[in-house]
Amino acid sequence: MSTRTTFWVILILILVATLSGLMLWERLPAQMASHWNAADEVDGYLPRFWGVFLMPLLSLGMGVLFLVIPLIDPLRENVARFRGVFNLFIVIVIAFLLYLHLLTLIYNLGVPFRMSRMMLPALGVLIFFAGELMRRAKRNWFIGIRTPWTLSDDRVWAETHRLGSLLFKAAAGLILLSAFLPAGAFPLALGAVLLAALVPLGYSYWLYERYRRQDLALQHKENNR
């Protein structure tokens, strides 16, 4: 997906979400439900103004940030090598946020449903594409698993992201499955994402140390010839 197309798709999504909130303004309560706990119980409210405009504004800010990141990255040439899939990921992130916004509007119109059951499939899609982005990502300063060890060695970057991609896609599968399980499965889905995010961090350090020892051994061997 081109950057120009990404910009227009994001803008259209945000405009549709904003107009939807404005059209429903009179039917929405003065205090809108805005947060749900793991048991799908409402535990947070926002004034109607912020209930309607907060998510579109947040989406706009995130969209601009995502589009600017490749321009300021010192390794922007590497970002250009996977820019198409990154642009697609930007659209998916914004679509996910605005989907949550749509669910919030519908819930506040008095339509009963389990928020987690409606949210989890979309979250699974988002996490799956995060895994695909990891598979394609080249070393850069902003996108991917950025540890001191992945940023120091292309080999560590590649292998860490290969593992991260597999873990994130596996977590996406668990999230999709949890959408059909009882409400108590929601923390399990979030735990899978957390595990997928943390394991590659330790793995990158282990890989870096392994390659460092191998390089030192090779250098010592070359020096003794």
Side-chain angles (χ1 to χ4, degrees), residues 41 84 107 150 157 225:
E41 299 167 340
Y107 188 94
T150 57
W157 176 280
R225 282 184 178 179

Side-chain angles (χ1 to χ4, degrees), residues 68-77 79 140-143:
V68 168
I69 279 175
L71 303 178
I72 63 175
D73 195 316
L75 296 173
R76 61 180 67 90
E77 295 85 1
V79 177
N140 70 95
W141 287 94
F142 291 102
I143 305 161

Side-chain angles (χ1 to χ4, degrees), residues 134-154:
M134 286 184 189
R135 188 178 72 85
R136 306 277 194 93
K138 307 303 178 184
R139 186 165 59 92
N140 70 95
W141 287 94
F142 291 102
I143 305 161
I145 304 168
R146 303 169 314 280
T147 69
W149 312 292
T150 57
L151 292 173
S152 299
D153 191 316
D154 282 324

Side-chain angles (χ1 to χ4, degrees), residues 201-220:
L201 302 183
Y203 184 64
S204 69
Y205 173 73
W206 178 82
L207 277 176
Y208 180 82
E209 286 298 313
R210 190 187 73 175
Y211 280 123
R212 185 181 66 84
R213 289 192 297 269
Q214 289 178 356
D215 292 343
L216 287 174
L218 182 60
Q219 182 180 3
H220 180 72

Side-chain angles (χ1 to χ4, degrees), residues 23-165:
M23 291 173 62
L24 297 171
W25 181 273
E26 296 299 331
R27 298 172 57 189
L28 295 170
Q31 292 292 316
M32 293 177 56
S34 61
H35 190 271
W36 289 257
N37 60 27
D40 286 314
E41 299 167 340
V42 178
D43 62 357
Y45 293 86
L46 282 176
R48 178 166 50 186
F49 178 87
W50 290 113
V52 169
F53 292 111
L54 180 59
M55 195 63 83
L57 288 172
L58 177 63
S59 300
L60 179 62
M62 290 188 66
V64 170
L65 178 62
F66 280 142
L67 290 172
V68 168
I69 279 175
L71 303 178
I72 63 175
D73 195 316
L75 296 173
R76 61 180 67 90
E77 295 85 1
N78 283 352
V79 177
R81 296 166 63 188
F82 64 96
R83 185 64 189 266
V85 70
F86 178 57
N87 286 340
L88 177 58
F89 181 71
I90 295 172
V91 170
I92 291 171
V93 170
I94 300 304
F96 173 75
L97 292 176
L98 296 178
Y99 173 69
L100 295 184
H101 178 64
L102 177 63
L103 290 180
T104 300
L105 293 178
I106 293 173
Y107 188 94
N108 281 279
L109 290 175
V111 180
F113 59 86
R114 274 179 50 191
M115 181 60 74
S116 64
R117 177 153 292 182
M118 299 297 292
M119 182 190 74
L120 284 172
L123 179 61
V125 171
L126 174 63
I127 297 301
F128 179 87
F129 274 94
E132 181 61 19
L133 177 60
M134 286 184 189
R135 188 178 72 85
R136 306 277 194 93
K138 307 303 178 184
R139 186 165 59 92
N140 70 95
W141 287 94
F142 291 102
I143 305 161
I145 304 168
R146 303 169 314 280
T147 69
W149 312 292
T150 57
L151 292 173
S152 299
D153 191 316
D154 282 324
R155 298 169 298 180
V156 176
W157 176 280
E159 292 193 39
T160 299
H161 281 74
R162 190 176 300 116
L163 175 65
S165 176

